Amino acid sequence: MSDNTEFVKKLRSVGLRPTKQRLKICKILFDRKNTFHFTISDLQKIIKTKIEEKVSLATIYNTVHSFKKKGYLKEISINSDKSYYDTNITNHHHFLDEETNELLDLDDNDISNLKIKKTIPGKKIKSIEVLVKIANNN
Amino acid sequence: MSDNTEFVKKLRSVGLRPTKQRLKICKILFDRKNTFHFTISDLQKIIKTKIEEKVSLATIYNTVHSFKKKGYLKEISINSDKSYYDTNITNHHHFLDEETNELLDLDDNDISNLKIKKTIPGKKIKSIEVLVKIANNN
DNA sequence: AAGTATTTTATAATGATTCTAAAGTACTGT
DNA sequence: ACAGTACTTTAGAATCATTATAAAATACTT
């Protein structure tokens, strides 16, 4: 450790204080090439194994919520067991493997010209989320 | 009360015993013209007001689960607060009004030729669910 | 009507998430 | 650097939806 400059800036840019805990979580979540899909307990496990000092569960919740509110994370609606989060904050969709419960990103381009033909007077579309459930062939 | 013959048959046809509780819930859920979107607590409130005798919460859960397993109800993934159920068991999608938290059915025809262009080897698509979040214009 | 399998029920248990309020840390102005 | 304030972290309690438990009630079969 530790070149945190990038993450310090990132946090500062949206008015979050760069605390030790937020920086640790930042690194775990954003210091990677690919999209990361996780639940709070996934994150907790990773923290437990990768980090020397502990971060309390309440802080993990707080931090993830802050990141979400500031637009660093997206919450995904899959089921009601627990919340899933995604480091890919662009418009996109998901495969959900029913066998493994794993998520896989699905690009906007992977879906043919999706258009909603119905409109509701006085309402506008905020987002469109496609969830494609998949399972083993056989 | 009470021409339950229809519901008795319905339950019998999938091997569910037509108990008093199941018939009551059947009537509330399926004796209506339009699709019904509800949570367990919605259902509990309706039972509390419409029915003379009480039905225990555990039974409401059990019954809804049985109906779901037998294909009379569909579970909808909206958020992680609680489970939502839908009496419309055909392939269809939803508007979710972010202001009121209300659901609205979206027919397959209301969506232009939705095609998933990506495939995963060894996996097949089980279902495709589109959730369109809407909010007030302004 | 008796015997067995299912169902209902109240209540306890669980698990995810939020709340609380005290202790710790970061920032501001000097 | 220092004091004062505002924000964060923390452990633990509280909450809420859901599931488990096991005894009493009901439905079905013969």
Side-chain angles (χ1 to χ4, degrees):
Chain A
M1 63 196 61
S2 56
D3 184 13
N4 287 332
T5 353
E6 177 195 348
F7 298 124
V8 171
K9 269 187 206 157
K10 194 169 175 172
L11 290 170
R12 281 248 159 72
S13 75
V14 292
L16 289 175
R17 288 186 178 173
T19 63
K20 219 169 28 172
Q21 292 83 348
R22 283 177 184 154
L23 285 168
K24 280 175 181 164
I25 295 177
C26 257
K27 273 187 157 170
I28 291 173
L29 298 183
F30 305 116
D31 203 1
R32 54 174 77 222
K33 281 273 153 48
N34 298 319
T35 292
F36 183 36
H37 298 118
F38 65 95
T39 64
I40 295 290
S41 75
D42 293 337
L43 184 50
Q44 191 185 22
K45 271 177 215 135
I46 295 173
I47 290 171
K48 202 168 272 167
T49 62
K50 293 220 169 163
I51 305 258
E52 45 298 334
E53 300 146 74
K54 86 170 291 207
V55 177
S56 84
L57 185 57
T59 300
I60 300 177
Y61 272 101
N62 289 341
T63 303
V64 166
H65 285 162
S66 297
F67 287 171
K68 185 194 161 195
K69 194 179 337 178
K70 298 305 186 180
Y72 290 167
L73 291 175
K74 227 174 146 172
E75 194 169 1
I76 318 173
S77 307
I78 308 180
N79 66 40
S80 326
D81 288 0
K82 47 176 81 168
S83 281
Y84 284 75
Y85 295 91
D86 192 339
T87 57
N88 180 352
I89 54 175
T90 67
N91 268 352
H92 70 288
H93 310 287
H94 294 97
F95 277 126
L96 172 63
D97 190 327
E98 291 190 329
E99 242 86 52
T100 64
N101 238 4
E102 262 176 311
L103 279 169
L104 232 150
D105 275 3
L106 201 47
D107 210 275
D108 242 359
N109 303 330
D110 295 328
I111 292 182
S112 67
N113 49 304
L114 177 52
K115 271 256 149 51
I116 310 300
K117 292 193 261 176
K118 195 178 194 173
T119 58
I120 311 280
K123 300 281 178 180
K124 66 160 170 274
I125 291 177
K126 302 291 286 185
S127 71
I128 301 178
E129 296 164 28
V130 181
L131 182 64
V132 182
K133 293 186 180 165
I134 58 178
N136 288 337
N137 273 327
N138 61 36
Chain B
M1 67 198 54
S2 55
D3 185 14
N4 288 331
T5 352
E6 177 195 348
F7 298 124
V8 171
K9 271 187 202 155
K10 192 169 177 174
L11 290 170
R12 281 247 159 74
S13 74
V14 293
L16 289 176
R17 288 185 178 174
T19 64
K20 217 169 30 170
Q21 292 81 348
R22 282 176 184 154
L23 286 169
K24 277 174 184 166
I25 295 178
C26 257
K27 273 186 157 172
I28 291 172
L29 297 183
F30 305 116
D31 203 3
R32 56 173 77 222
K33 282 273 153 51
N34 298 317
T35 293
F36 182 37
H37 299 118
F38 65 95
T39 64
I40 295 291
S41 75
D42 292 338
L43 184 50
Q44 192 185 22
K45 271 177 217 138
I46 295 174
I47 290 172
K48 202 168 272 167
T49 61
K50 291 220 172 164
I51 305 258
E52 43 299 333
E53 299 146 75
K54 87 171 288 206
V55 176
S56 85
L57 185 57
T59 299
I60 300 177
Y61 272 101
N62 289 341
T63 303
V64 166
H65 285 161
S66 298
F67 287 171
K68 186 195 162 192
K69 193 181 334 175
K70 297 305 185 179
Y72 290 165
L73 291 175
K74 228 176 147 172
E75 195 169 0
I76 318 173
S77 308
I78 309 182
N79 65 41
S80 326
D81 288 0
K82 48 177 80 169
S83 281
Y84 283 75
Y85 296 91
D86 193 338
T87 57
N88 180 352
I89 55 175
T90 68
N91 269 351
H92 70 287
H93 310 286
H94 294 97
F95 278 126
L96 173 62
D97 190 326
E98 291 189 329
E99 242 87 52
T100 64
N101 238 2
E102 263 176 309
L103 280 168
L104 231 149
D105 276 4
L106 202 45
D107 210 274
D108 242 0
N109 302 330
D110 294 329
I111 293 182
S112 68
N113 51 307
L114 176 54
K115 272 254 148 48
I116 310 299
K117 292 193 262 179
K118 194 178 195 173
T119 59
I120 311 281
K123 301 280 177 181
K124 67 161 170 274
I125 291 177
K126 303 290 286 185
S127 70
I128 302 178
E129 296 164 29
V130 181
L131 183 64
V132 182
K133 292 186 182 167
I134 58 179
N136 289 338
N137 273 328
N138 63 37

